[in-house]
């Protein structure tokens, strides 16, 4: 034990946990600890808005596999973290949010910047540590970091601001390292039995495969079974796209090839995925989830097993470790799926070829509204053509974060990766303003890789201020902004359900490329298809070689892809005369 101040105990615990970077906005509540950061080798990265800081911590964690840390002023600074922490929760990111609180001596008196900070985050964190005694500063700080990794999700470290002061004898705990197993003996044996008898096995590779560093094990198992592999929704980096068994992502705007192939499965091995509802719903008119198949689900969280889809075998285990054990157990076995291997491989190649041909020929949307918009602006670029050009020009080492919105959703069909920890989306929380700050955090976590963000202009308007952070802090990224003067996803609903009565979905914005220049970044407007690939490639090159942030504003047409939430809306039925429209049922 050593005598130290409580701020020193807090900072020394961060150091012991390997923390080198913290994102946020400075405030008086944590000033004493901040003063120690430089001497401890911790960089505090000031952001424009706390939500951006939370997303940066998320991106940092997802790209590097380390803890992401964010900290801000008590009260409004902390409440600004809510959206980012909810996104990290659904991304299973081990983010630790440090929340200094109003002083313990005045709590409950309605003082300046006071609010109850624990209830706000109770449903979007995996663990909440409250320092109820300053003598426990190191203990509870350490526990928050340990639990973030143990449960793979965000934790909250809540500290009354007066507890940073004072001193005591303190021991800094060592981090707890928990090794994850492959599942119980009985469940593994049953999985081996089911997979051995499969005639058409299909593997769903989820985010848990990436988090467990299990992509290589998934590849080996797929090759053993000669099974097609599909990515779970928004985890396009969970299996190498260049592999002949890769068949693309399931879910909204995913791969028709993957959907058609999994529809024929008699056994589905779901590795590291909860099989979330949005990733298994019908798409492109295909109700593809195999209703009669045996489902073997592997997840490190036992509460996820069978939660969304009924399962035949549930294995509570680490996705990578389970894949390795299954590979060993199945190797040398008499596998039923080997009898029709050639037929299955031919079908995989055929479906993938058909889907790629369809994407090549799918140059624009063909619904009535989109065709009208194309006629209105015949010279504007078609979003799908732009996405295909970006795909072709994408650096091999790229990490891509995507915002929520119509064009970003369509990009799911065009984002392919060979390296894990390469695709970052807001997942089930689906919040706007996610992509740019997450790309900045991802770049800081893996500075040697190329970091790219995709956003429509609506979502971009919520986050473009973080270009200042990128430039000021020397964390370069390449941002693609799809500019079409609208909130596309919601406008599609107004087209399909409200007879083109547009309320709140039309946007008029200044040039975001011009704003980027004023903020110290490069800004480029692209309005010719032939320029998309070259401008994008040059921006990515300058990011790596010159440390330059570039905002590429692509002028695209107002055509729209499939609706985002067709399942959530109905044709309106109006009862009052004042609300009736002649063109509504």
């Amino acid at each position: 034990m050593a005598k130290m101040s409580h701020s020193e105990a807090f900072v020394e615990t961060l150091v012991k946990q390997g923390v080198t970077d913290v994102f946020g906005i400075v405030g008086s509540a944590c000033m004493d600890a901040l003063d120690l950061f430089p001497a401890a080798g911790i960089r505090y990265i000031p952001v424009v808005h706390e939500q951006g800081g939370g997303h940066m911590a998320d991106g940092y964690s997802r790209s590097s596999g380390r803890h992401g840390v964010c900290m801000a002023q008590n009260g409004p600074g902390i409440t600004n973290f809510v959206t980012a922490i909810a996104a990290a929760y659904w991304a299973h990111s081990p983010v630790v949010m440090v929340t200094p609180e109003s002083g313990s001596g005045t709590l409950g008196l309605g003082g300046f910047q006071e609010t109850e900070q624990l209830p706000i985050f109770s449903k979007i964190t995996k663990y909440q540590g409250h320092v109820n005694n300053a003598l426990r500063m190191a203990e509870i700080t350490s526990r928050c970091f340990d639990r973030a990794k143990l449960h793979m999700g965000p934790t909250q470290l809540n500290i009354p601001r007066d507890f940073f002061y004072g001193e005591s004898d303190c021991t800094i705990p060592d981090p707890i390292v928990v090794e994850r197993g492959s599942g119980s003996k009985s469940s593994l044996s049953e999985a081996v039995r089911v997979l051995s008898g499969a005639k058409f096995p299909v593997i769903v590779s989820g985010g848990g495969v990436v988090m467990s560093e299990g992509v290589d094990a998934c590849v080996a198992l797929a090759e053993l079974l000669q099974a097609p592999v599909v990515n779970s929704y928004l985890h396009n980096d969970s299996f190498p796209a260049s592999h002949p068994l890769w068949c693309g992502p399931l879910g909204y705007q995913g791969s028709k090839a993957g959907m058609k192939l999994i529809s024929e499965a008699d056994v589905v091995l779901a590795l590291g995925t909860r099989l979330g509802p949005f990733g298994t719903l019908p798409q492109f008119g295909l109700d593809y989830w195999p209703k009669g198949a045996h489902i073997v689900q592997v997840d490190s969280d036992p509460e996820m097993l069978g939660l969304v889809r009924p399962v035949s075998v549930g294995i509570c285990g680490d996705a990578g470790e389970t894949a390795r054990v299954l590979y060993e157990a199945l190797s040398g076995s008499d596998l039923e799926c080997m009898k029709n291997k050639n037929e299955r491989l031919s079908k995989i190649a055929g479906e993938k070829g058909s889907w790629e041909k369809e994407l090549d020929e799918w140059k624009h949307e063909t619904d009535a509204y989109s065709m009208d918009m194309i006629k209105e602006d015949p010279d504007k670029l078609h979003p799908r053509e732009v996405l295909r050009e970006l795909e072709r020009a994408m650096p091999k080492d790229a990490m891509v974060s995507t915002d929520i919105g119509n064009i970003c959703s369509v990009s799911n069909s065009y984002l392919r990766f060979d390296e894990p920890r390469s695709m970052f989306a807001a997942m089930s929380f689906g919040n706007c303003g996610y992509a740019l700050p997450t790309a900045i955090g991802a770049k800081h976590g893996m500075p040697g890789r190329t970091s790219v963000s995709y956003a429509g202009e609506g979502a971009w308007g919520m986050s473009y201020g973080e270009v200042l952070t990128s430039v000021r802090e020397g964390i370069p990224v390449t941002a693609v902004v799809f500019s079409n003067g609208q909130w596309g996803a919601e406008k599609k609903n107004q087209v399909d359900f409200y007879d083109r009565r547009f309320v709140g979905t039309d946007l008029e914005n200044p040039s975001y490329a011009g704003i980027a220049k004023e903020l110290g970044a490069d800004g480029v407007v692209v309005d010719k298809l032939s320029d998309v690939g070259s401008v994008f490639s040059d921006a990515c090159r300058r990011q790596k070689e010159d440390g330059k942030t570039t905002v590429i504003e692509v002028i695209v047409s107002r055509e729209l892809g499939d609706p985002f939430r067709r399942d959530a809306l109905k044709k309106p039925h109006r009862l009052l005369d004042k609300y009736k429209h002649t063109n509504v049922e």
Side-chain angles (χ1 to χ4, degrees), residues 384-552:
R384 285 187 176 274
E385 288 186 310
V386 171
L387 290 168
R388 197 62 153 171
E389 289 299 311
L390 290 170
E391 175 202 332
R392 290 167 177 150
M394 191 69 67
K396 293 293 186 184
D397 72 336
M399 306 176 290
V400 181
S401 62
T402 59
D403 227 298
I404 195 76
N406 195 264
I407 295 175
C408 288
S409 295
V410 173
S411 74
N412 193 31
S413 298
Y414 300 89
L415 288 170
R416 294 102 187 275
F417 305 97
D418 280 337
E419 291 188 45
R421 300 192 180 278
S422 295
M423 183 172 176
F424 313 124
M427 309 308 297
S428 300
F429 200 57
N431 65 284
C432 293
Y434 174 87
L436 174 63
T438 300
I440 294 170
K443 177 69 174 182
H444 195 54
M446 294 295 288
R449 296 184 66 181
T450 305
S451 189
V452 176
S453 71
Y454 282 4
E457 64 188 311
W460 180 255
M462 293 188 181
S463 58
Y464 72 86
E466 298 300 347
V467 170
L468 280 171
T469 304
S470 174
V471 172
R472 180 180 60 220
E473 299 301 317
I475 310 173
V477 297
T478 301
V480 181
V481 182
F482 303 98
S483 181
N484 57 8
Q486 62 189 6
W487 286 101
E490 299 313 315
K491 177 167 274 193
K492 182 63 174 174
N493 290 331
Q494 291 172 336
V495 169
D496 288 352
F497 294 93
Y498 300 99
D499 208 23
R500 304 192 189 185
R501 293 191 301 279
F502 302 128
V503 180
T505 48
D506 287 318
L507 299 173
E508 290 186 18
N509 297 310
S511 169
Y512 281 123
I515 293 174
K517 293 178 182 178
E518 294 296 324
L519 297 178
D522 279 351
V524 184
V525 175
V526 175
D527 56 9
K528 294 183 177 63
L529 188 64
S530 58
D531 292 340
V532 172
S534 59
V535 169
F536 180 66
S537 294
D538 186 60
C540 292
R541 178 190 61 79
R542 294 197 64 201
Q543 179 192 144
K544 294 288 288 289
E545 295 179 4
D546 305 327
K548 194 68 179 179
T549 291
T550 304
V551 176
I552 303 171

Side-chain angles (χ1 to χ4, degrees), residues 200-207 209-210 218 222 227-241 243-251 254-265 267-273 275 279-280 288-290 348 351-352 355 412:
F200 201 112
V202 175
I203 297 174
V204 181
S205 185
V209 174
V210 175
C218 182
V229 181
V230 294
N231 309 109
S232 67
Y233 182 54
L234 296 179
H235 288 294
N236 298 21
D237 57 349
S238 62
F239 198 85
H243 197 286
L245 292 174
W246 172 83
C247 300
L250 297 181
S255 163
K256 282 188 183 179
M259 296 173 195
K260 289 180 178 179
L261 287 163
I262 199 171
S263 71
E264 298 192 34
V267 174
V268 174
L269 174 60
L271 275 176
T273 171
L275 296 174
T280 54
Y288 55 85
W289 191 254
I348 292 170
E351 292 293 358
K352 288 174 64 174
W355 176 231
N412 193 31

Side-chain angles (χ1 to χ4, degrees), residues 12-343:
E12 287 297 319
T13 306
L14 265 58
V15 171
K16 183 65 74 78
Q17 290 283 346
V19 175
T20 56
D21 301 275
V22 177
F23 301 90
I25 293 180
V26 299
S28 61
C30 51
M31 198 66 71
D32 196 61
L34 282 175
D35 182 58
L36 302 174
F37 275 17
I42 298 174
R43 178 182 175 186
Y44 194 79
I45 300 173
V47 302
V48 172
H49 190 279
E50 290 91 351
Q51 179 179 331
H55 286 319
M56 289 179 204
D58 186 1
Y60 181 95
S61 176
R62 294 180 74 178
S63 72
S64 68
R66 300 170 60 195
H67 291 104
V69 186
C70 55
M71 180 171 70
Q73 174 70 359
N74 63 271
I78 300 309
T79 59
N80 282 343
F81 278 142
V82 170
T83 296
I85 295 302
Y89 180 86
W90 288 108
H92 303 286
S93 300
V95 170
V96 178
M97 171 185 54
V98 183
T99 61
E101 187 179 60
S102 297
S104 62
T106 60
L107 195 63
L109 299 181
F112 182 63
Q113 295 184 322
E114 179 183 334
T115 188
E116 291 188 60
Q117 295 178 173
L118 290 169
I120 295 170
F121 296 94
S122 63
K123 299 298 184 182
I124 51 175
T125 52
K126 293 290 188 178
Y127 175 77
Q128 292 178 294
H130 175 67
V131 179
N132 59 359
N133 186 311
L135 300 179
R136 301 182 69 188
M137 178 73 81
E139 171 203 342
I140 295 173
T141 298
S142 184
R143 185 168 298 124
C144 285
F145 279 86
D146 291 340
R147 295 288 177 89
K149 278 293 185 74
L150 176 64
H151 298 299
M152 290 307 293
T155 60
Q156 179 181 7
L157 172 59
N158 199 63
I159 309 171
R161 57 186 296 162
D162 53 311
F163 285 5
F164 285 104
Y165 301 92
E167 61 184 36
S168 62
D169 292 328
C170 182
T171 298
I172 306 301
D174 290 323
I176 295 175
V177 179
V178 178
E179 293 187 1
R180 301 181 190 275
S182 57
S184 71
K185 191 173 183 179
S186 59
S187 60
L188 287 167
S189 296
E190 180 62 11
V192 168
R193 186 190 70 78
V194 171
L195 287 166
S196 296
K199 296 179 179 179
F200 201 112
V202 175
I203 297 174
V204 181
S205 185
V209 174
V210 175
M211 293 175 221
S212 66
E213 310 295 343
V215 172
D216 288 345
C218 182
V219 170
L221 184 57
E223 290 175 345
L224 177 67
L225 298 171
Q226 290 295 283
V229 181
V230 294
N231 309 109
S232 67
Y233 182 54
L234 296 179
H235 288 294
N236 298 21
D237 57 349
S238 62
F239 198 85
S242 61
H243 197 286
L245 292 174
W246 172 83
C247 300
L250 297 181
Y252 182 52
Q253 294 291 345
S255 163
K256 282 188 183 179
M259 296 173 195
K260 289 180 178 179
L261 287 163
I262 199 171
S263 71
E264 298 192 34
D266 62 341
V267 174
V268 174
L269 174 60
L271 275 176
T273 171
R274 66 189 179 96
L275 296 174
F278 212 62
T280 54
L281 286 174
Q283 181 67 188
F284 302 125
L286 300 173
D287 189 4
Y288 55 85
W289 191 254
K291 295 177 174 58
H294 293 285
I295 311 298
V296 178
Q297 185 185 9
V298 180
D299 201 286
S300 60
D301 183 352
E303 294 185 4
M304 295 299 105
L305 298 175
L307 178 65
V308 180
R309 296 282 178 175
V311 298
S312 306
V313 184
I315 301 176
C316 180
D318 175 87
E321 284 301 310
T322 302
R324 293 181 187 97
V325 170
L326 290 176
Y327 175 85
E328 293 296 331
L330 291 166
S331 294
S333 301
D334 184 17
L335 301 175
E336 185 69 24
C337 59
M338 290 296 102
K339 297 176 182 177
N340 61 351
K341 176 185 71 173
N342 293 335
E343 178 186 344

Side-chain angles (χ1 to χ4, degrees), residues 499 501 574 576-585:
D499 208 23
R501 293 191 301 279
R574 308 300 186 202
L576 300 179
D577 288 341
K578 66 180 290 186
Y579 294 117
K580 287 182 179 179
H581 301 273
T582 57
N583 51 358
V584 177
E585 293 179 354

